[in-house]
């Protein structure tokens, strides 16, 4: 939730839009209160508030986390925030020995991760939508129409 709120702020709350371009598990740190913090803004892009596209010809990111439109470079014009949304959906790590409540949380996170990792950036939610989904009940979430993975 903390990373989702931080990304939403970077995408729509700042005077200048910040696209991290390298969201991955290794770049999410925890402070002394176990609150998540984003790190490593070495590949970040600063953009005008109203800018929605950028050239993907020089875009970079970590293999496995980088959005498909950035990796393929020719597929889309480069939707800014949606590349970060894709990367946000990738680091889902299920754990053994889960309770029933844990399984419901995992189900919610899996559905949200599948939405975030849609092939087309146009099919991915905004970070604001992700936050609403994380705060809500799993009963209201539907599977994405174009699943990348089966579950």
């Amino acid at each position: 939730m903390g990373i989702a709120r931080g990304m939403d702020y970077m995408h729509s709350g700042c005077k200048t839009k910040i696209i991290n371009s390298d969201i991955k598990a290794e770049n999410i740190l925890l402070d002394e209160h176990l609150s998540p913090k984003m790190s490593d803004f070495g590949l970040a892009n600063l953009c005008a508030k109203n800018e929605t596209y950028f050239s993907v010809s020089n875009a970079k990111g970590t293999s496995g986390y980088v959005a498909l439109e950035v990796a393929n470079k020719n597929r889309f014009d480069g939707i800014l925030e949606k590349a970060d949304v894709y990367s946000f959906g990738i680091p889902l790590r299920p754990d053994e020995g889960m309770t029933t409540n844990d399984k419901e949380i995992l189900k919610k996170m899996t559905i949200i991760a599948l939405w975030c990792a849609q092939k087309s950036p146009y099919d991915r939610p905004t970070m604001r939508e992700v936050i609403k989904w994380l705060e809500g009940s799993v009963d209201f979430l539907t599977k994405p129409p174009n699943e990348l993975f089966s579950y």
Side-chain angles (χ1 to χ4, degrees):
M1 184 62 92
I3 296 301
R5 284 191 175 122
M7 288 176 62
D8 179 52
Y9 177 77
M10 291 188 327
H11 292 168
S12 56
C14 296
K15 282 173 55 176
T16 302
K17 187 183 299 188
I18 302 168
I19 306 302
N20 184 286
S21 301
D22 204 23
I23 301 291
K24 58 185 179 181
E26 298 90 67
N27 290 342
I28 298 172
L29 306 176
L30 299 175
D31 67 12
E32 65 275 5
H33 305 290
L34 301 179
S35 297
K37 308 291 181 191
M38 283 186 286
S39 68
D40 194 356
F41 286 80
L43 299 178
N45 295 292
L46 299 177
C47 311
K49 196 82 156 139
N50 60 351
E51 199 172 349
T52 57
Y53 297 92
F54 72 103
S55 171
V56 294
S57 59
N58 296 324
K60 296 178 180 158
T62 302
S63 180
Y65 291 91
V66 67
L68 301 172
E69 66 272 16
V70 176
N72 293 337
K73 299 194 185 221
N74 298 328
R75 198 152 166 225
F76 297 97
D77 292 330
I79 306 294
L80 285 175
E81 303 92 59
K82 299 299 180 104
D84 272 355
V85 171
Y86 179 91
S87 298
F88 175 82
I90 297 302
L92 179 64
R93 299 294 179 256
D95 199 3
E96 299 296 322
M98 296 186 294
T99 65
T100 303
N101 189 45
D102 292 338
K103 289 178 183 177
E104 284 297 306
I105 292 170
L106 180 61
K107 180 180 176 183
K108 180 194 302 189
M109 291 176 62
T110 302
I111 293 171
I112 292 170
L114 288 171
W115 273 104
C116 291
Q118 289 294 290
K119 289 180 184 177
S120 170
Y122 304 106
D123 293 335
R124 294 179 207 144
T126 64
M127 288 312 299
R128 189 144 303 151
E129 290 171 314
V130 169
I131 291 168
K132 287 179 184 176
W133 293 347
L134 287 170
E135 291 174 335
S137 167
V138 71
D139 298 331
F140 297 105
L141 283 175
T142 60
K143 295 178 188 176
N146 303 313
E147 299 177 31
L148 282 180
F149 312 101
S150 61
Y151 56 95

